[in-house]
Amino acid sequence: MAGGGRTLLGWAGRALVVVVALFLLLQVWFAAMIVWYRFEPPRQTAFMSERLAELQRKNPRAKIDYRFVPYPRISAHLKRAAIAAEDARFLEHDGFDWEGIERAMRKNERRGRIVAGGSTITQQLAKNLFLSPSKSYLRKGEEAIIAVMLELILDKRRILELYLNVIEWGNGVFGAEAAARHYFGVSAAQLSASQAARLAAMAPSPRRFERNPHSAYLTGRTTTILARMPGTATP
């Protein structure tokens, strides 16, 4: 039994080494991709791949609408609206808004369920680029690691540029250019303040609000974001 126990421990030790090595290799791959994204736009993100697979299960010929546009070709209104709506301390934090996380935890405790997450734009970009929409502590931990790498490798302007280009804004609609054309028939550069505020209000649940465009919550949230925008700084 003693010899068998030592053999079992030996196998367990080797398995642990393999798991750690694979984990570290994965982080190296994430870091390499982020370096690539300093200079090149993503061809397709993890979220896009998952949504495309969903669409193609219903229609094998389905495609997603994604058009990357550089930072200067995105309306300043949308940049302000996104920060005002999602991450007021975006220019100040290092990837995590600890005050926002604390507020979210208090809100969740009051409601008795998870209704707020406190994720920053950097964390949301990490999730959209590399992870899945599923919720788990493991995914949240990986999201945090990637967020740190994003902040170390990219500047705030590039993080916001990538975020506005890859986030989901409807069923198969990704990024500011596709969203602007889908909802308003204009380019991302031509979005007005009210249009930008509405897109920012939709961002947490885009497919739900796409199906319910006259939602009272969406209208009220748009008004709140619009009021915050004039005092919001952008990179």
Side-chain angles (χ1 to χ4, degrees), residues 162-184:
L162 288 169
Y163 171 79
L164 292 174
N165 269 289
V166 305
I167 63 168
E168 186 176 32
W169 253 309
N171 196 25
V173 180
F174 286 87
E177 185 70 14
R181 294 190 183 279
H182 179 72
Y183 292 107
F184 306 113

PDB file of all heavy atoms in Angstrom, residues 162-184:
ATOM      1  N   LEU A 162     -10.333  49.082 -29.151  1.00  0.00           N
ATOM      2  CA  LEU A 162     -10.658  47.667 -29.327  1.00  0.00           C
ATOM      3  C   LEU A 162     -12.036  47.348 -28.758  1.00  0.00           C
ATOM      4  O   LEU A 162     -12.845  46.650 -29.388  1.00  0.00           O
ATOM      5  CB  LEU A 162      -9.594  46.792 -28.660  1.00  0.00           C
ATOM      6  CG  LEU A 162      -8.225  46.740 -29.355  1.00  0.00           C
ATOM      7  CD1 LEU A 162      -7.207  46.063 -28.443  1.00  0.00           C
ATOM      8  CD2 LEU A 162      -8.310  46.008 -30.687  1.00  0.00           C
ATOM      9  N   TYR A 163     -12.310  47.851 -27.568  1.00  0.00           N
ATOM     10  CA  TYR A 163     -13.595  47.592 -26.915  1.00  0.00           C
ATOM     11  C   TYR A 163     -14.762  48.033 -27.793  1.00  0.00           C
ATOM     12  O   TYR A 163     -15.705  47.269 -28.024  1.00  0.00           O
ATOM     13  CB  TYR A 163     -13.624  48.326 -25.573  1.00  0.00           C
ATOM     14  CG  TYR A 163     -14.966  48.316 -24.881  1.00  0.00           C
ATOM     15  CD1 TYR A 163     -15.394  47.204 -24.170  1.00  0.00           C
ATOM     16  CD2 TYR A 163     -15.811  49.427 -24.936  1.00  0.00           C
ATOM     17  CE1 TYR A 163     -16.629  47.195 -23.528  1.00  0.00           C
ATOM     18  CE2 TYR A 163     -17.044  49.424 -24.305  1.00  0.00           C
ATOM     19  CZ  TYR A 163     -17.443  48.311 -23.609  1.00  0.00           C
ATOM     20  OH  TYR A 163     -18.668  48.292 -22.987  1.00  0.00           O
ATOM     21  N   LEU A 164     -14.697  49.260 -28.294  1.00  0.00           N
ATOM     22  CA  LEU A 164     -15.798  49.788 -29.094  1.00  0.00           C
ATOM     23  C   LEU A 164     -15.941  49.071 -30.434  1.00  0.00           C
ATOM     24  O   LEU A 164     -17.009  49.102 -31.044  1.00  0.00           O
ATOM     25  CB  LEU A 164     -15.618  51.293 -29.322  1.00  0.00           C
ATOM     26  CG  LEU A 164     -15.772  52.167 -28.074  1.00  0.00           C
ATOM     27  CD1 LEU A 164     -15.437  53.616 -28.386  1.00  0.00           C
ATOM     28  CD2 LEU A 164     -17.184  52.067 -27.507  1.00  0.00           C
ATOM     29  N   ASN A 165     -14.888  48.417 -30.872  1.00  0.00           N
ATOM     30  CA  ASN A 165     -14.929  47.708 -32.141  1.00  0.00           C
ATOM     31  C   ASN A 165     -15.391  46.263 -32.033  1.00  0.00           C
ATOM     32  O   ASN A 165     -15.797  45.681 -33.038  1.00  0.00           O
ATOM     33  CB  ASN A 165     -13.560  47.740 -32.809  1.00  0.00           C
ATOM     34  CG  ASN A 165     -13.400  48.934 -33.747  1.00  0.00           C
ATOM     35  OD1 ASN A 165     -14.004  48.980 -34.811  1.00  0.00           O
ATOM     36  ND2 ASN A 165     -12.601  49.898 -33.331  1.00  0.00           N
ATOM     37  N   VAL A 166     -15.303  45.666 -30.849  1.00  0.00           N
ATOM     38  CA  VAL A 166     -15.598  44.230 -30.770  1.00  0.00           C
ATOM     39  C   VAL A 166     -16.798  43.866 -29.907  1.00  0.00           C
ATOM     40  O   VAL A 166     -17.264  42.730 -29.975  1.00  0.00           O
ATOM     41  CB  VAL A 166     -14.374  43.418 -30.271  1.00  0.00           C
ATOM     42  CG1 VAL A 166     -13.151  43.682 -31.141  1.00  0.00           C
ATOM     43  CG2 VAL A 166     -14.064  43.691 -28.799  1.00  0.00           C
ATOM     44  N   ILE A 167     -17.318  44.789 -29.116  1.00  0.00           N
ATOM     45  CA  ILE A 167     -18.425  44.381 -28.241  1.00  0.00           C
ATOM     46  C   ILE A 167     -19.686  44.102 -29.053  1.00  0.00           C
ATOM     47  O   ILE A 167     -19.894  44.637 -30.134  1.00  0.00           O
ATOM     48  CB  ILE A 167     -18.718  45.395 -27.115  1.00  0.00           C
ATOM     49  CG1 ILE A 167     -19.160  46.743 -27.681  1.00  0.00           C
ATOM     50  CG2 ILE A 167     -17.546  45.542 -26.200  1.00  0.00           C
ATOM     51  CD1 ILE A 167     -19.724  47.658 -26.606  1.00  0.00           C
ATOM     52  N   GLU A 168     -20.525  43.250 -28.490  1.00  0.00           N
ATOM     53  CA  GLU A 168     -21.769  42.836 -29.134  1.00  0.00           C
ATOM     54  C   GLU A 168     -22.819  43.925 -28.973  1.00  0.00           C
ATOM     55  O   GLU A 168     -23.017  44.469 -27.895  1.00  0.00           O
ATOM     56  CB  GLU A 168     -22.246  41.539 -28.485  1.00  0.00           C
ATOM     57  CG  GLU A 168     -23.447  40.925 -29.146  1.00  0.00           C
ATOM     58  CD  GLU A 168     -23.832  39.593 -28.523  1.00  0.00           C
ATOM     59  OE1 GLU A 168     -23.626  39.430 -27.291  1.00  0.00           O
ATOM     60  OE2 GLU A 168     -24.323  38.728 -29.243  1.00  0.00           O
ATOM     61  N   TRP A 169     -23.517  44.234 -30.088  1.00  0.00           N
ATOM     62  CA  TRP A 169     -24.564  45.257 -30.033  1.00  0.00           C
ATOM     63  C   TRP A 169     -25.878  44.775 -30.643  1.00  0.00           C
ATOM     64  O   TRP A 169     -26.720  45.568 -31.036  1.00  0.00           O
ATOM     65  CB  TRP A 169     -24.096  46.546 -30.706  1.00  0.00           C
ATOM     66  CG  TRP A 169     -23.803  47.626 -29.720  1.00  0.00           C
ATOM     67  CD1 TRP A 169     -24.604  48.063 -28.715  1.00  0.00           C
ATOM     68  CD2 TRP A 169     -22.609  48.425 -29.638  1.00  0.00           C
ATOM     69  NE1 TRP A 169     -24.001  49.086 -28.003  1.00  0.00           N
ATOM     70  CE2 TRP A 169     -22.771  49.324 -28.556  1.00  0.00           C
ATOM     71  CE3 TRP A 169     -21.432  48.476 -30.366  1.00  0.00           C
ATOM     72  CZ2 TRP A 169     -21.816  50.264 -28.196  1.00  0.00           C
ATOM     73  CZ3 TRP A 169     -20.472  49.404 -30.013  1.00  0.00           C
ATOM     74  CH2 TRP A 169     -20.655  50.292 -28.939  1.00  0.00           C
ATOM     75  N   GLY A 170     -26.047  43.476 -30.724  1.00  0.00           N
ATOM     76  CA  GLY A 170     -27.262  42.916 -31.286  1.00  0.00           C
ATOM     77  C   GLY A 170     -26.990  41.500 -31.737  1.00  0.00           C
ATOM     78  O   GLY A 170     -25.874  40.993 -31.589  1.00  0.00           O
ATOM     79  N   ASN A 171     -27.988  40.863 -32.277  1.00  0.00           N
ATOM     80  CA  ASN A 171     -27.835  39.482 -32.707  1.00  0.00           C
ATOM     81  C   ASN A 171     -26.948  39.409 -33.947  1.00  0.00           C
ATOM     82  O   ASN A 171     -27.384  39.689 -35.063  1.00  0.00           O
ATOM     83  CB  ASN A 171     -29.212  38.878 -33.003  1.00  0.00           C
ATOM     84  CG  ASN A 171     -29.176  37.368 -33.072  1.00  0.00           C
ATOM     85  OD1 ASN A 171     -28.303  36.734 -32.473  1.00  0.00           O
ATOM     86  ND2 ASN A 171     -30.105  36.781 -33.777  1.00  0.00           N
ATOM     87  N   GLY A 172     -25.670  39.069 -33.730  1.00  0.00           N
ATOM     88  CA  GLY A 172     -24.720  39.023 -34.837  1.00  0.00           C
ATOM     89  C   GLY A 172     -24.132  40.361 -35.203  1.00  0.00           C
ATOM     90  O   GLY A 172     -23.429  40.478 -36.206  1.00  0.00           O
ATOM     91  N   VAL A 173     -24.402  41.388 -34.413  1.00  0.00           N
ATOM     92  CA  VAL A 173     -23.906  42.749 -34.681  1.00  0.00           C
ATOM     93  C   VAL A 173     -22.772  43.060 -33.703  1.00  0.00           C
ATOM     94  O   VAL A 173     -22.981  43.084 -32.489  1.00  0.00           O
ATOM     95  CB  VAL A 173     -25.037  43.795 -34.524  1.00  0.00           C
ATOM     96  CG1 VAL A 173     -24.510  45.208 -34.796  1.00  0.00           C
ATOM     97  CG2 VAL A 173     -26.200  43.462 -35.451  1.00  0.00           C
ATOM     98  N   PHE A 174     -21.582  43.323 -34.227  1.00  0.00           N
ATOM     99  CA  PHE A 174     -20.414  43.551 -33.376  1.00  0.00           C
ATOM    100  C   PHE A 174     -19.691  44.837 -33.771  1.00  0.00           C
ATOM    101  O   PHE A 174     -19.382  45.067 -34.941  1.00  0.00           O
ATOM    102  CB  PHE A 174     -19.435  42.379 -33.477  1.00  0.00           C
ATOM    103  CG  PHE A 174     -19.905  41.146 -32.758  1.00  0.00           C
ATOM    104  CD1 PHE A 174     -20.727  40.229 -33.384  1.00  0.00           C
ATOM    105  CD2 PHE A 174     -19.558  40.919 -31.431  1.00  0.00           C
ATOM    106  CE1 PHE A 174     -21.180  39.105 -32.720  1.00  0.00           C
ATOM    107  CE2 PHE A 174     -20.009  39.798 -30.754  1.00  0.00           C
ATOM    108  CZ  PHE A 174     -20.822  38.885 -31.403  1.00  0.00           C
ATOM    109  N   GLY A 175     -19.425  45.662 -32.778  1.00  0.00           N
ATOM    110  CA  GLY A 175     -18.628  46.858 -32.974  1.00  0.00           C
ATOM    111  C   GLY A 175     -19.440  48.082 -33.349  1.00  0.00           C
ATOM    112  O   GLY A 175     -20.589  48.001 -33.809  1.00  0.00           O
ATOM    113  N   ALA A 176     -18.821  49.245 -33.151  1.00  0.00           N
ATOM    114  CA  ALA A 176     -19.497  50.525 -33.325  1.00  0.00           C
ATOM    115  C   ALA A 176     -19.974  50.764 -34.752  1.00  0.00           C
ATOM    116  O   ALA A 176     -21.077  51.293 -34.970  1.00  0.00           O
ATOM    117  CB  ALA A 176     -18.559  51.652 -32.898  1.00  0.00           C
ATOM    118  N   GLU A 177     -19.165  50.402 -35.748  1.00  0.00           N
ATOM    119  CA  GLU A 177     -19.545  50.661 -37.138  1.00  0.00           C
ATOM    120  C   GLU A 177     -20.776  49.854 -37.537  1.00  0.00           C
ATOM    121  O   GLU A 177     -21.734  50.398 -38.096  1.00  0.00           O
ATOM    122  CB  GLU A 177     -18.366  50.332 -38.065  1.00  0.00           C
ATOM    123  CG  GLU A 177     -18.601  50.679 -39.525  1.00  0.00           C
ATOM    124  CD  GLU A 177     -18.631  52.174 -39.814  1.00  0.00           C
ATOM    125  OE1 GLU A 177     -18.209  52.973 -38.942  1.00  0.00           O
ATOM    126  OE2 GLU A 177     -19.088  52.541 -40.915  1.00  0.00           O
ATOM    127  N   ALA A 178     -20.751  48.559 -37.250  1.00  0.00           N
ATOM    128  CA  ALA A 178     -21.902  47.718 -37.587  1.00  0.00           C
ATOM    129  C   ALA A 178     -23.146  48.166 -36.823  1.00  0.00           C
ATOM    130  O   ALA A 178     -24.254  48.201 -37.381  1.00  0.00           O
ATOM    131  CB  ALA A 178     -21.583  46.252 -37.278  1.00  0.00           C
ATOM    132  N   ALA A 179     -22.986  48.534 -35.544  1.00  0.00           N
ATOM    133  CA  ALA A 179     -24.128  48.956 -34.729  1.00  0.00           C
ATOM    134  C   ALA A 179     -24.721  50.263 -35.243  1.00  0.00           C
ATOM    135  O   ALA A 179     -25.953  50.409 -35.334  1.00  0.00           O
ATOM    136  CB  ALA A 179     -23.696  49.113 -33.275  1.00  0.00           C
ATOM    137  N   ALA A 180     -23.861  51.219 -35.559  1.00  0.00           N
ATOM    138  CA  ALA A 180     -24.341  52.520 -36.055  1.00  0.00           C
ATOM    139  C   ALA A 180     -25.148  52.345 -37.338  1.00  0.00           C
ATOM    140  O   ALA A 180     -26.208  52.961 -37.517  1.00  0.00           O
ATOM    141  CB  ALA A 180     -23.151  53.451 -36.290  1.00  0.00           C
ATOM    142  N   ARG A 181     -24.662  51.497 -38.228  1.00  0.00           N
ATOM    143  CA  ARG A 181     -25.360  51.277 -39.502  1.00  0.00           C
ATOM    144  C   ARG A 181     -26.629  50.443 -39.293  1.00  0.00           C
ATOM    145  O   ARG A 181     -27.652  50.691 -39.951  1.00  0.00           O
ATOM    146  CB  ARG A 181     -24.416  50.623 -40.500  1.00  0.00           C
ATOM    147  CG  ARG A 181     -23.259  51.539 -40.886  1.00  0.00           C
ATOM    148  CD  ARG A 181     -22.433  51.024 -42.049  1.00  0.00           C
ATOM    149  NE  ARG A 181     -21.313  51.918 -42.318  1.00  0.00           N
ATOM    150  CZ  ARG A 181     -21.394  53.046 -43.020  1.00  0.00           C
ATOM    151  NH1 ARG A 181     -22.565  53.429 -43.516  1.00  0.00           N
ATOM    152  NH2 ARG A 181     -20.323  53.782 -43.235  1.00  0.00           N
ATOM    153  N   HIS A 182     -26.565  49.475 -38.389  1.00  0.00           N
ATOM    154  CA  HIS A 182     -27.715  48.600 -38.143  1.00  0.00           C
ATOM    155  C   HIS A 182     -28.886  49.363 -37.535  1.00  0.00           C
ATOM    156  O   HIS A 182     -30.038  49.182 -37.955  1.00  0.00           O
ATOM    157  CB  HIS A 182     -27.285  47.463 -37.198  1.00  0.00           C
ATOM    158  CG  HIS A 182     -28.375  46.510 -36.841  1.00  0.00           C
ATOM    159  ND1 HIS A 182     -28.890  45.593 -37.731  1.00  0.00           N
ATOM    160  CD2 HIS A 182     -29.066  46.325 -35.672  1.00  0.00           C
ATOM    161  CE1 HIS A 182     -29.839  44.878 -37.139  1.00  0.00           C
ATOM    162  NE2 HIS A 182     -29.967  45.303 -35.894  1.00  0.00           N
ATOM    163  N   TYR A 183     -28.617  50.215 -36.547  1.00  0.00           N
ATOM    164  CA  TYR A 183     -29.694  50.877 -35.825  1.00  0.00           C
ATOM    165  C   TYR A 183     -30.061  52.256 -36.374  1.00  0.00           C
ATOM    166  O   TYR A 183     -31.221  52.676 -36.287  1.00  0.00           O
ATOM    167  CB  TYR A 183     -29.329  51.020 -34.346  1.00  0.00           C
ATOM    168  CG  TYR A 183     -29.262  49.693 -33.621  1.00  0.00           C
ATOM    169  CD1 TYR A 183     -28.049  49.143 -33.243  1.00  0.00           C
ATOM    170  CD2 TYR A 183     -30.417  48.977 -33.332  1.00  0.00           C
ATOM    171  CE1 TYR A 183     -27.977  47.926 -32.593  1.00  0.00           C
ATOM    172  CE2 TYR A 183     -30.363  47.748 -32.683  1.00  0.00           C
ATOM    173  CZ  TYR A 183     -29.137  47.228 -32.316  1.00  0.00           C
ATOM    174  OH  TYR A 183     -29.084  46.007 -31.683  1.00  0.00           O
ATOM    175  N   PHE A 184     -29.076  52.973 -36.926  1.00  0.00           N
ATOM    176  CA  PHE A 184     -29.328  54.369 -37.303  1.00  0.00           C
ATOM    177  C   PHE A 184     -29.017  54.698 -38.766  1.00  0.00           C
ATOM    178  O   PHE A 184     -29.283  55.818 -39.204  1.00  0.00           O
ATOM    179  CB  PHE A 184     -28.523  55.306 -36.386  1.00  0.00           C
ATOM    180  CG  PHE A 184     -28.781  55.067 -34.921  1.00  0.00           C
ATOM    181  CD1 PHE A 184     -27.784  54.565 -34.101  1.00  0.00           C
ATOM    182  CD2 PHE A 184     -30.022  55.326 -34.364  1.00  0.00           C
ATOM    183  CE1 PHE A 184     -28.011  54.335 -32.745  1.00  0.00           C
ATOM    184  CE2 PHE A 184     -30.268  55.101 -33.019  1.00  0.00           C
ATOM    185  CZ  PHE A 184     -29.259  54.602 -32.204  1.00  0.00           C
TER     186      PHE A 184
END
